[in-house]
Amino acid sequence: ATSESIFGIFYYADAVRMIRGRKNNPAAKRLAADAQPTGWTQTLSRRALIGDGSERALQIGLGVGVSARLLHSQNVRVDVVEIDPAVHEAAVKFFKLPKKLNAVHIMDGRRFIDEAPASTYDYIIHDVFTGGSVPPSLFSQSAVSQLRRILSRDGVLAMNYVGVPSDRRTLSHVARTIGTAFPHVRCFVEATEDMDRMANMMFFASAEPLAFDITPDLLRLIGRDTIRARVLGEMLRYELDISSFVADAELRPITDDWNPLSEWQVGTAIEHWHAMRRLLPTGFWLNY
């Protein structure tokens, strides 16, 4: 038995704290520990994953709370925005979401980011898949600009998009939209053999370069036998090359006025419906 999620994409988001040049990067703290006199290294190594309490993170879309729980355990002050109170209740009751997060806002995510103060967060985890599609208003150019506004100068956005990796039309427009607000954007797909099937794709974006320090030492500290360490250790192998999309000034970004995501995601929604019917028995759907 395991308390870990079997959905690896949740652990991709954990990489927001594993970026070279950031103050609380665990790998950098590990190297600093090695420079200390003998006897200090092991003690500091065990503490390398823990922040100093100054970092703030926002999670938009709670789900079962994997990312919020992990960041909270690393001494990051976590705010959650979730539109459905039942989701928050289930995360606390069944999935060990801590009750003492920095703040929980039961409200629309777009309204929250439009109203939040500037430069508030070091990290934003954006994961708003609703079971077949994503809310289009949270993927527009205006929404992405607001996310950039409420991040700190070198803050990092991790945005999960659920779609088909080979669907260059949708992928290119999502990537270009993020690129209008962030000069540095990278994307990693969850491990998959079939690029024509629905998958999670995690975009990382920042005003500063995105070089990941996911080192063997760091994975050892996490626990080599954990799903979290395995997923993080393989993440860089699954990068999608989106550089041409991000830099293409001729490619139309998604806006509040021109937002075709609902139309483009019909196929994904149908595929997800069939997947859920295969995963859960008929009795579940009849009863719940």
Side-chain angles (χ1 to χ4, degrees):
T2 178
S3 61
E4 291 190 284
S5 172
I6 62 171
F7 296 103
I9 198 68
F10 294 143
Y11 298 113
Y12 277 14
D14 202 26
V16 293
R17 297 192 69 243
M18 302 172 185
I19 295 174
R20 196 169 304 152
R22 304 317 198 267
K23 178 180 65 172
N24 279 294
N25 174 2
K29 292 167 69 176
R30 176 69 171 87
L31 291 174
D34 286 341
Q36 298 294 333
T38 303
W40 283 54
T41 302
Q42 190 58 37
T43 301
L44 289 178
S45 294
R46 285 194 294 266
R47 298 176 60 85
L49 295 172
I50 308 301
D52 61 10
S54 65
E55 298 164 285
R56 292 192 63 179
L58 172 67
Q59 179 161 356
I60 307 170
L62 177 60
V64 299
V66 173
S67 296
R69 187 173 72 244
L70 281 174
L71 288 167
H72 178 79
S73 72
Q74 296 170 57
N75 200 28
V76 177
R77 292 180 291 159
V78 180
D79 293 353
V80 165
V81 180
E82 169 56 51
I83 197 168
D84 188 346
V87 170
H88 176 252
E89 180 182 348
V92 172
K93 186 175 182 180
F94 300 111
F95 297 99
K96 300 181 181 179
L97 180 73
K99 295 181 180 179
K100 295 184 178 180
L101 298 177
N102 190 61
V104 175
H105 305 273
I106 304 299
M107 63 183 294
D108 177 74
R110 178 62 187 271
R111 183 162 69 89
F112 181 89
I113 64 175
D114 285 347
E115 297 174 356
S119 306
T120 300
Y121 297 104
D122 300 287
Y123 316 111
I124 296 177
I125 313 299
H126 181 296
D127 192 352
V128 292
F129 182 62
T130 60
S133 63
V134 296
S137 67
L138 283 165
F139 283 82
S140 71
Q141 185 176 20
S142 295
V144 173
S145 295
Q146 292 288 46
L147 293 170
R148 169 74 185 272
R149 181 184 65 82
I150 65 176
L151 276 169
S152 60
R153 179 188 57 79
D154 62 350
V156 182
L157 167 68
M159 174 184 280
N160 186 31
Y161 180 78
V162 181
V164 177
S166 62
D167 176 11
R168 290 177 61 85
R169 178 185 63 176
T170 305
L171 184 63
S172 65
H173 285 279
V174 171
R176 176 57 186 152
T177 303
I178 299 171
T180 61
F182 294 93
H184 301 280
V185 186
R186 298 177 70 177
C187 182
F188 302 87
V189 64
E190 64 182 332
T192 179
E193 299 298 325
D194 189 350
M195 300 294 277
D196 295 322
R197 297 293 300 273
M198 182 177 66
N200 292 280
M201 292 168 275
M202 188 69 77
F203 289 87
F204 291 89
S206 180
E208 300 292 330
L210 292 166
F212 292 90
D213 273 333
I214 305 176
T215 64
D217 266 356
L218 179 57
L219 298 177
R220 178 182 59 79
L221 291 177
I222 291 172
R224 290 190 183 276
D225 295 331
T226 62
I227 296 173
R228 178 186 174 199
R230 179 179 60 78
V231 168
L232 285 169
E234 296 177 351
M235 185 184 86
L236 297 182
R237 293 171 46 196
Y238 294 103
E239 183 165 13
L240 298 176
D241 183 4
I242 60 169
S243 56
S244 62
F245 303 148
V246 173
D248 187 354
E250 300 299 317
L251 194 61
R252 188 178 185 181
I254 297 166
T255 65
D256 290 333
D257 294 327
W258 182 76
N259 197 327
L261 284 183
S262 293
E263 176 187 345
W264 290 353
Q265 289 188 303
V266 171
T268 303
I270 294 172
E271 182 179 346
H272 184 265
W273 184 86
H274 285 293
M276 291 297 99
R277 289 297 299 268
R278 292 191 297 268
L279 182 64
L280 298 170
T282 301
F284 174 88
W285 301 106
L286 293 175
N287 289 315
Y288 299 102

